[in-house]
Amino acid sequence: MSRTSIVITIDGPVAAGKGTLARNIAQDMGYAYLDTGSLYRATALRLLRSGGDIDDVRAAVDAADGIQPADLDDPKLRDEGVGNAASKVAAMPEVRQALLEYQRNFARYPPNGASGAVLDGRDTGTVVCPDADAKLFVTAVVEERARRRFEELKAKGEDVDAETILADLRRRDERDSSRAVAPLAPAADAYLLDTSNLAIDSALQAAKDFIEEKLA
Ligand code: DC
């Protein structure tokens, strides 16, 4: 794809910290930010709201095709039920295909005249933007990711159980990594950032150092 915008991709498993890193980096560099997971969530939410069957591929593709930027800010996207439905539509190759253009357009023509875009997700460096200028793959051991998710939910006042969260993350890792289309995997040229033993500040510094070097 020929483009003049700078594209940075940040992929990784659930709760590795990629969203925090991506948002920070985008803000720092004045780039537009796209949480690609929200597209799958918005697809699922549109489908649920229209009363469609979550296993109906045609209805799911219609929902994906109708997504508007405002849909990505809906607070309902974060609901547990929407997350589960999102993982189902995300396994449909037709839905992934339908959302590909949205993501590539965002990277090629970042909104509000931004000179670059940061995309985070599972396959942004491998499938969506294989020619990205800098690719990161952010990970952490599952126990640490579960611990962070537990603290995050507890801080929100939710009644959570540590063992259930750990089991849920393991299940989601397995589903994301083993699906036939665009499974979670680092791009060959991605910088691997393991945040298991890193505080957010150190992780952010390591990511920025890598990006600076790549863009120099
Ligand atoms: O990161 P998240 O929990 O918001 O993602 C929601 C679902 O979408 C999750 O099942 C993984 C999937 N997803 C994907 O398949 N590809 C992406 N680029 C981003 C998310």
Side-chain angles (χ1 to χ4, degrees):
M1 122 176 140
S2 83
R3 58 175 161 81
T4 55
S5 56
I6 299 290
V7 177
I8 297 169
T9 58
I10 306 188
D11 292 307
V14 61
K18 59 185 188 305
T20 308
L21 287 177
R23 256 187 295 274
N24 261 290
I25 289 164
Q27 189 168 19
D28 240 58
M29 303 184 75
Y31 290 173
Y33 167 59
L34 180 64
D35 161 13
T36 63
S38 70
L39 292 169
Y40 293 93
R41 288 172 180 266
T43 300
L45 184 58
R46 282 174 58 83
L47 189 56
L48 293 171
R49 281 192 175 143
S50 70
D53 173 0
I54 202 68
D55 296 313
D56 181 344
V57 175
R58 252 196 107 98
V61 168
D62 282 348
D65 282 340
I67 288 179
Q68 300 297 320
D71 293 332
L72 306 184
D73 298 325
D74 193 317
K76 280 259 164 219
L77 293 187
R78 301 290 131 205
D79 283 7
E80 187 67 17
V82 176
N84 279 329
S87 81
K88 288 195 176 170
V89 298
M92 298 172 179
E94 297 86 349
V95 168
R96 304 199 70 85
Q97 185 61 38
L99 293 176
L100 205 50
E101 267 322 287
Y102 188 107
Q103 298 172 79
R104 287 185 174 160
N105 258 324
F106 188 100
R108 198 184 303 196
Y109 309 109
N112 304 320
S115 57
V118 180
L119 277 69
D120 90 34
R122 305 291 191 285
D123 64 342
T124 62
T126 48
V127 176
V128 181
C129 298
D131 67 342
D133 299 280
K135 302 179 186 177
L136 287 107
F137 191 85
V138 182
T139 188
V141 293
V142 70
E143 292 81 7
E144 175 59 16
R145 289 186 282 124
R147 192 192 63 76
R148 292 180 195 164
R149 178 51 60 94
F150 175 77
E151 295 298 338
E152 190 183 306
L153 294 174
K154 208 171 67 175
K156 278 209 263 172
E158 291 189 27
D159 183 21
V160 282
D161 170 60
E163 283 305 310
T164 309
I165 291 181
L166 180 59
D168 184 48
L169 284 197
R170 286 206 163 107
R171 209 166 32 241
R172 287 174 68 174
D173 278 357
E174 170 64 22
R175 209 187 295 149
D176 282 350
S177 310
S178 64
R179 69 170 174 239
V181 194
L184 173 69
D189 52 349
Y191 173 68
L192 295 184
L193 181 57
D194 186 331
T195 67
S196 304
N197 297 307
L198 285 183
I200 178 66
D201 288 357
S202 314
L204 193 54
Q205 195 54 54
K208 281 184 186 165
D209 289 348
F210 166 72
I211 292 168
E212 206 170 293
E213 200 182 297
K214 279 300 275 190
L215 300 187

